[in-house]
Amino acid sequence: MISWSRYFIPTLKESPADAEIASHRLLIRAGLVRKVGGGLYAFLPIGLRVMRKLSQICREEMERAGAIELSMPHLHPAELWREGPRWPAAREIMFRADHAGAGRRGGGEPEFVLGPTHEEIITPLMKAEISSYRDLPKNFFQIATKFRNEIRPRFGLMRAREFVMKDGYSFDADDAGAMRSYGAMKEAYGRFFARSGLKAVVVEADTGVMGGSASHEFMVPAEVGDDDVVHCDACGYAANREKASSGVVAAGAAPAPPAGPTEEFATPGVVTIAALAAPPHGVPAESQFKTLVYMGDGKPFVVILRGSDELEEAKLGGLGFGLWRPATPEEIEPVMGARPGSLGAVRGTIRNPSALAGIFADEAIRLVGNGTTGANRDGFHLRCVNVARDLEITRFGDFRRVRAGEPCPKCGKPLLITRAIEVGHIFKLGTKYSEKYGAVYTDDQKQSHTLVMGCYGIGISRTLQACIEQSHDADGIVWPWAIAPFQVLVCLLDPQAPEAVELGGRLAAAAEGAGADVLLDDRAERPGVKFKDADLVGIPLRVTVGSRGLKEGIVEMKWRNQKEVIKVPLAEAEARIAAAVAGAQST
RNA sequence: CGGGGUGUAGCUUAGCCUGGUAGAGCGCCUGGUUUGGGACCAGGAGGUCGCAGGUUCGAAUCCUGUCGCCCCGACCA
């Protein structure tokens, strides 16, 4: 039992100016964290208590699923990253950690980096330790601080530069084994979020820079989330928008026949889809081809979309480039022969087609059939361009961004889009890392094989905030029982009265005896202050001992998530509280 | 990295346009009155107005630079 007067819970009436969203304000107002710098937070005592509870639940579920805890350094030799498969992309978000002394300040390549995750550490580590099929499968995890130089930290712990993450890595002999490990983690994640009192949904996800063949994210629906989840309530399809597809393009649609000869027409000053759609040209956006030029690992490539569609940049990851970005007009003109606004991919009009790494077309352009596109000559477009006859296409793919209301790819019902916070992400990595570092094992036929890996992350600190975002009201946080910093608050309204103190002590002991973490509010504050603080901090069960009740021969129990005050006769109080605790513990 | 904003006491902020002794609320300290939903009265402590330069008799205020922070976008395992 901890007494509030000797503890440290600095609550605030007003919220700091830089806290925009409810969970961020409450984190600070309820005294869980304080900002130390941009994207850097100190956990105050009750914030730390919640972190510990989340970590412990996570640990239990990992171990139940057969994963083994270990701990790796936060400071990584940059060498290991340079040898890895994603250094060019990953270094953009990494902190360098060189020797700070005047004598050896690093100007060039970093000597050390702060770990944003640990694939580059555990793969070479396990390369040395796992050599036989008898050692497999293995699944390791740690709960540790990660460092990522987010370009724009925001929303408190939601996107911080330093944060706590559970990261795990599985090693299997083959694909089937890796699938089993992946499945076990997916199940364990579901249990972790359920036990922690969060409503998280599983969605198909993009693998991004991680690489790998399959991926799911665990999402907490919330307006303030960074991600969009595309989902279908009819059949249960759910995917991150970056990954989601829709059924706008009927599978196996026959190519439209040419509608006539292609002809060029003058479009001076028309450099946008909207301008071409407006008078005098009046070409509807869905009848236009949108031609975008990107740089992939230093080489230009073209993406063609329907004029009315937007590119989903993450989908370019499937093309095999390590890094990609929009090309600049200066890079585009020598290759295409025109500047953005007059670009097209009609056969024969590209000035230097051999410079291109490919021309990739979104499936949806089949719906255009015969459309209008740039002539690769500034101020001119081409009409009656037939997809099959005229466009130079390396291959088709899904590159467009899904919009709400489009048909579900599985069942055809309208898709919904919801904002969400990503709290967990699992990847079936395959051999991307093990191959790079030469992590192999020998099977029972003396044959050497590459280890098949998976990696699994849960943002612990982000989960804490997502939980507040999901569970609060106008007065403060409403903690789920399992992760509440304290579960029972015994509130002494008259801490000077010896009989009240004695009674409060007994009630607190009863709650503690039943397994609850108990906080005793013995501060010399007015009742209003205590009630406001109790609601703000969000302790699930409040037991109030006050002179008014004592005259009646009762104490009060009140659940934070309910309105009613339950009056309990003094004689039953200890038993009733213990029973309430026992009931809450078992759910 | 582009666009916008902002920096005044621990927190929330007024003053800045139009230059002239830096103000309030919360919090804190002392005393008193209060005591079931963030009390009241009286007194008090606390500010190099982010930093550097400039203009001026005089700068929180105007100008330049710089740093931090915030928002939008881009970006984002």
Side-chain angles (χ1 to χ4, degrees):
Chain A
M1 180 201 317
I2 288 180
S3 82
W4 195 320
S5 65
R6 289 194 292 272
Y7 202 52
F8 187 70
I9 309 176
T11 58
L12 298 172
K13 276 194 205 178
E14 288 173 300
S15 34
D18 58 11
E20 283 268 310
I21 64 172
S23 54
H24 187 192
R25 282 196 297 269
L26 290 171
L27 274 173
I28 293 167
R29 287 192 54 215
L32 277 84
V33 303
R34 285 293 184 264
K35 183 163 79 172
V36 172
L40 299 172
Y41 289 84
F43 283 95
L44 302 184
I46 61 167
L48 183 61
R49 288 182 72 97
V50 179
M51 287 293 285
R52 286 205 172 131
K53 291 197 175 186
L54 282 166
S55 299
Q56 186 53 32
I57 294 170
C58 185
R59 181 173 289 122
E60 287 170 14
E61 291 305 331
M62 286 299 109
E63 289 178 346
R64 189 210 295 233
I68 305 160
E69 188 168 15
L70 49 60
S71 172
M72 291 178 274
H74 299 132
L75 199 55
H76 297 178
E79 183 77 27
L80 285 175
W81 280 85
R82 272 187 225 112
E83 290 167 5
R86 55 176 173 165
W87 173 239
R91 67 178 304 176
E92 297 304 319
I93 60 157
M94 291 171 71
F95 287 105
R96 54 190 299 157
D98 292 346
H99 187 271
R104 287 196 62 183
R105 187 155 302 141
E109 288 292 300
E111 198 179 343
F112 298 101
V113 293
L114 292 174
T117 178
H118 282 74
E119 286 77 10
E120 275 76 356
I121 305 302
I122 200 162
T123 312
L125 179 66
M126 288 305 157
K127 169 194 172 158
E129 304 303 329
I130 296 177
S131 46
S132 158
Y133 70 98
R134 296 175 203 274
D135 299 328
L136 298 173
K138 280 286 175 289
N139 189 348
F140 300 101
F141 77 97
Q142 62 175 352
I143 296 172
T145 302
K146 305 291 179 198
F147 304 85
R148 293 184 194 176
N149 191 12
E150 293 292 349
I151 300 170
R152 187 182 157 201
R154 62 177 134 184
F155 297 157
L157 304 178
M158 210 78 104
R159 193 185 296 186
R161 286 187 164 125
E162 187 183 314
F163 57 97
V164 176
M165 178 171 162
K166 187 288 299 181
D167 52 322
Y169 310 89
S170 65
F171 298 87
D172 279 278
D174 53 29
D175 219 52
M179 259 341 268
R180 281 193 296 275
S181 296
Y182 186 85
M185 284 297 105
K186 193 170 162 190
E187 212 175 293
Y189 273 38
R191 277 201 299 265
F192 165 72
F193 290 115
R195 275 188 64 190
S196 300
L198 260 87
K199 293 181 195 72
V201 296
V202 191
V203 310
E204 293 175 25
D206 180 60
T207 54
V209 183
M210 265 331 292
S213 55
S215 175
H216 286 87
E217 284 169 326
F218 287 75
M219 298 292 220
V220 173
E223 279 305 309
V224 300
D226 275 347
D227 290 88
D228 284 317
V229 171
V230 174
H231 58 105
C232 171
D233 287 350
C235 72
Y237 171 79
N240 189 306
R241 186 180 205 159
E242 293 181 341
K243 166 84 176 180
S245 57
S246 81
V248 287
V249 191
T262 299
E263 46 177 15
E264 188 175 82
F265 60 109
T267 51
V270 173
V271 294
T272 62
I273 300 285
L276 195 58
H281 306 292
V283 183
E286 49 274 20
S287 299
Q288 298 184 39
F289 297 107
K290 179 183 284 189
T291 308
L292 304 173
V293 182
Y294 271 71
M295 300 299 283
D297 295 334
K299 229 182 159 197
F301 67 93
V302 171
V303 184
I304 312 171
L305 296 148
R306 202 158 53 142
S308 51
D309 284 339
E310 294 299 321
L311 173 67
E312 183 60 67
E313 276 203 30
K315 291 182 178 177
L316 298 179
L319 297 175
F321 299 108
L323 273 180
W324 61 90
R325 60 167 173 84
T328 64
E330 292 68 36
E331 288 166 335
I332 292 170
E333 196 170 5
V335 179
M336 301 298 287
R339 299 176 69 81
S342 304
L343 302 179
V346 174
R347 202 166 276 131
T349 66
I350 299 172
R351 182 185 288 170
N352 185 9
S354 60
L356 291 171
I359 299 176
F360 306 100
D362 185 77
E363 298 282 357
I365 68 165
R366 296 186 201 274
L367 300 172
V368 179
N370 294 277
T372 300
T373 190
N376 286 328
R377 194 177 150 208
D378 285 340
F380 291 90
H381 280 76
L382 296 168
R383 67 165 67 98
C384 206
V385 170
N386 181 267
V387 171
R389 181 189 65 187
D390 303 318
L391 291 177
E392 186 83 49
I393 292 168
T394 310
R395 70 175 155 98
F396 283 89
D398 175 15
F399 302 110
R400 64 187 294 279
R401 168 172 286 192
V402 171
R403 278 191 292 257
E406 288 177 357
C408 169
K410 287 198 174 154
C411 74
K413 296 275 169 27
L415 288 169
L416 303 169
I417 297 185
T418 307
R419 295 291 279 177
I421 301 164
E422 177 192 346
V423 285
H425 202 158
I426 58 178
F427 299 86
K428 193 166 159 287
L429 286 179
T431 56
K432 177 172 174 172
Y433 295 83
S434 42
E435 210 164 89
K436 195 80 184 179
Y437 291 100
V440 298
Y441 73 96
T442 306
D443 69 13
D444 57 0
Q445 306 297 311
K446 301 179 182 171
Q447 295 294 303
S448 184
H449 301 279
T450 304
L451 291 167
V452 184
M453 293 174 60
C455 73
Y456 317 95
I458 290 176
I460 301 286
S461 43
R462 180 183 281 187
T463 297
L464 183 160
Q465 185 168 352
C467 183
I468 298 175
E469 191 62 37
Q470 190 172 73
S471 184
H472 71 271
D473 61 21
D475 295 315
I477 302 171
V478 183
W479 285 115
W481 183 268
I483 63 170
F486 293 96
Q487 289 149 332
V488 176
L489 174 68
V490 176
C491 196
L492 298 180
L493 295 188
D494 307 285
Q496 300 85 359
E499 67 278 13
V501 173
E502 188 274 330
L503 174 60
R506 273 196 290 131
L507 299 180
E512 210 163 54
D517 292 323
V518 181
L519 181 66
L520 181 71
D521 188 354
D522 59 343
R523 294 174 300 165
E525 289 287 351
R526 297 163 55 86
V529 172
K530 296 191 172 208
F531 291 142
K532 287 289 183 189
D533 273 348
D535 289 346
L536 180 58
V537 173
I539 297 169
L541 180 61
R542 188 183 82 200
V543 176
T544 306
V545 178
S547 55
R548 184 185 289 182
L550 291 182
K551 271 178 209 151
E552 272 183 69
I554 57 128
V555 294
E556 295 163 18
M557 290 203 305
K558 182 182 174 302
W559 295 95
R560 180 64 180 84
N561 61 4
Q562 289 171 18
K563 271 201 156 94
E564 309 79 53
V565 172
I566 305 160
K567 294 187 175 185
V568 180
L570 287 181
E572 300 169 23
E574 285 168 84
R576 288 282 295 277
I577 290 164
V581 169
Q585 297 277 47
S586 66
T587 55

